[in-house]
Amino acid sequence: MPAHNSAKTIIEAVESIFNGNFEEGDELIIVDNASTDSTRKVIDELKTKYPSIVEIDNVEDKGCPASRNIGVSAAKNPIIFNLDSDNVLIPGSIKKLKGYLVSENADMAAFSEYHYFYKNNIKQITHKWICKPGVMSLADFLAGPINPAPGGNFMYTKESWKKVGKYWEYGKGVQEAWGFVLKQLANGAKVVVLPNSYYLHRY
């Protein structure tokens, strides 16, 4: 989980991980990317409640792509899931996504729907992105913006991350997640989209 000035949203994101999505042997790595608000203090408080949290301080603001690479490099497990510090998971959703990735022998797996919520009310859904379920091809990726790539909240193997040369670290801008999925597909990775699944994306 990359975090930059996320003090107002990170608690809800972290709670959604530990509320029905965290299993024994898992770890939550939070990379604080040079926050200037109280994000670090909030993370320290969360670590007291959840000792499984690993905090990494990225004192130089290199942007989200670098933060993602730092976190994945430190991960001890072979399967990675990225959750941004302002988004929310549904209880039990990670187990289903992992099961799908494994059963499909895939390199990457994503939820099929984004449910956008307004500000701090997860019950106030403004709109949804509905992605094509099943195997995602490069043609699907290039057909338009409605696919799991831009959201960045997906699961993949650490081996596939290494194979494609990690996330492109092209500064502080957005869409490193989109570029990462492009690299995966262009290198022959199997990317699957879990039918009838969703997470909550802050609008």
Side-chain angles (χ1 to χ4, degrees):
M1 178 182 289
H4 176 72
N5 292 345
S6 306
K8 294 181 180 179
T9 62
I10 195 170
I11 294 174
E12 190 171 33
V14 168
E15 292 285 359
S16 79
I17 292 172
F18 287 99
N19 180 23
N21 284 300
F22 194 87
E23 297 183 341
E24 186 176 351
D26 290 347
E27 58 183 346
L28 169 57
I29 300 172
I30 302 175
V31 181
D32 178 21
N33 185 43
S35 293
T36 56
D37 66 353
S38 59
T39 295
R40 190 167 298 180
K41 179 182 178 183
V42 173
I43 295 171
D44 288 340
E45 291 170 355
L46 286 166
K47 283 168 61 180
T48 300
K49 186 175 182 180
Y50 302 112
S52 299
I53 291 176
V54 176
E55 180 186 5
I56 299 174
D57 294 325
N58 185 16
V59 294
E60 183 182 351
D61 184 4
K62 295 182 178 179
C64 189
S67 295
R68 292 192 193 279
N69 283 332
I70 289 168
V72 178
S73 294
K76 66 182 182 182
N77 289 321
I79 296 177
I80 309 295
F81 180 81
N82 284 144
L83 182 69
D84 291 335
S85 59
D86 58 350
N87 294 328
V88 177
L89 292 172
I90 303 304
S93 57
I94 291 298
K95 185 174 183 178
K96 292 178 182 177
L97 191 64
K98 180 182 175 183
Y100 191 58
L101 181 141
V102 172
S103 67
E104 292 292 318
N105 194 27
D107 301 290
M108 175 179 285
F111 298 117
S112 57
E113 300 181 16
Y114 304 49
H115 290 197
Y116 287 91
F117 67 97
Y118 185 67
K119 291 187 176 178
N120 295 316
N121 186 356
I122 61 173
K123 294 182 179 180
Q124 188 177 347
I125 304 300
T126 61
H127 60 291
K128 300 175 183 179
W129 275 16
I130 311 298
C131 306
K132 178 183 173 183
V135 177
M136 178 179 168
S137 68
L138 183 57
D140 294 327
F141 174 85
L142 296 172
I146 307 299
N147 65 64
N153 300 270
F154 36 66
M155 181 177 289
Y156 51 90
T157 65
K158 190 169 182 179
E159 187 60 34
S160 71
W161 168 82
K162 291 178 182 176
K163 180 180 178 181
V164 302
K166 309 177 183 181
Y167 283 87
W168 269 318
E169 293 187 18
Y170 41 67
K172 300 177 186 178
V174 297
Q175 296 305 345
E176 80 287 338
W178 188 94
F180 182 64
V181 177
L182 173 61
K183 285 173 56 167
Q184 290 274 13
L185 289 166
N187 280 276
K190 184 178 181 181
V191 180
V192 294
V193 181
L194 176 63
N196 303 314
S197 63
Y198 71 97
Y199 75 97
L200 297 163
H201 197 105
R202 193 176 304 268
Y203 183 49

